[in-house]
Amino acid sequence: MRSVLSLLTLSTVVLTACAPGGSVQNPFTGVTSALQAPDSQRGAVELAVKSEFPAIMAQIDAGGGPALTAAFDAAGVPLEDRPARLIQLRNEADLYAGNPGALTQALLVWGGRQMS
C-alpha cells in the first residue's frame, strides 16, 4: 500500500510539473505558481539580495528588517506568508549563509508570479 501511495504521489508531482504553461499547481492549496519568474522580477530580486546580502542574513537572524522586507517585496512574497517564511529562513540559515543565489531562488519560489 505504501508503494502505491508513493507512486501516486510521484505521478501527481510529475504530471503537475509537466502542466502546460510552465507552471506548477500546489495539490494542497490549488495555487498555481510560475516555475520561472519574469527576467525583470528575477533581476530585481537578485539585486535586492546580492546588494544587501550580509544585512539580509543578519535580519533573518534578528526577525526582520528593511533589507529583508525589500527582498520579500521584490520577490512578491505575500505579506501573510512572510512570518512563516522568516521562520523557514531561520531554520535553513546554513543553507543560505554562503549562497545568495539559493536565497534568491527560494524567494522567487515563494513569491514569483502568482496565477490562479
Side-chain angles (χ1 to χ4, degrees):
M1 179 67 177
R2 187 176 186 156
S3 62
V4 171
L5 184 58
S6 296
L7 182 58
L8 180 60
T9 302
L10 178 61
S11 298
T12 302
V13 170
V14 169
L15 289 174
T16 302
C18 296
S23 59
V24 174
Q25 183 176 16
N26 182 324
F28 303 107
T29 65
V31 174
T32 303
S33 300
L35 281 176
Q36 214 172 13
D39 289 340
S40 60
Q41 184 179 22
R42 176 174 288 285
V45 176
E46 284 182 12
L47 182 62
V49 169
K50 291 179 179 179
S51 66
E52 297 289 336
F53 188 68
I56 289 173
M57 292 308 297
Q59 291 170 16
I60 288 169
D61 189 48
L68 180 58
T69 297
F72 276 144
D73 289 344
V77 177
L79 291 174
E80 63 272 10
D81 291 355
R82 293 178 187 191
R85 297 307 182 190
L86 179 57
I87 291 168
Q88 191 172 0
L89 287 171
R90 273 196 215 149
N91 290 338
E92 298 172 348
D94 290 343
L95 176 66
Y96 304 114
N99 194 343
L103 179 57
T104 297
Q105 187 61 36
L107 292 171
L108 286 166
V109 167
W110 297 332
R113 276 188 324 177
Q114 296 294 317
M115 301 178 298
S116 46

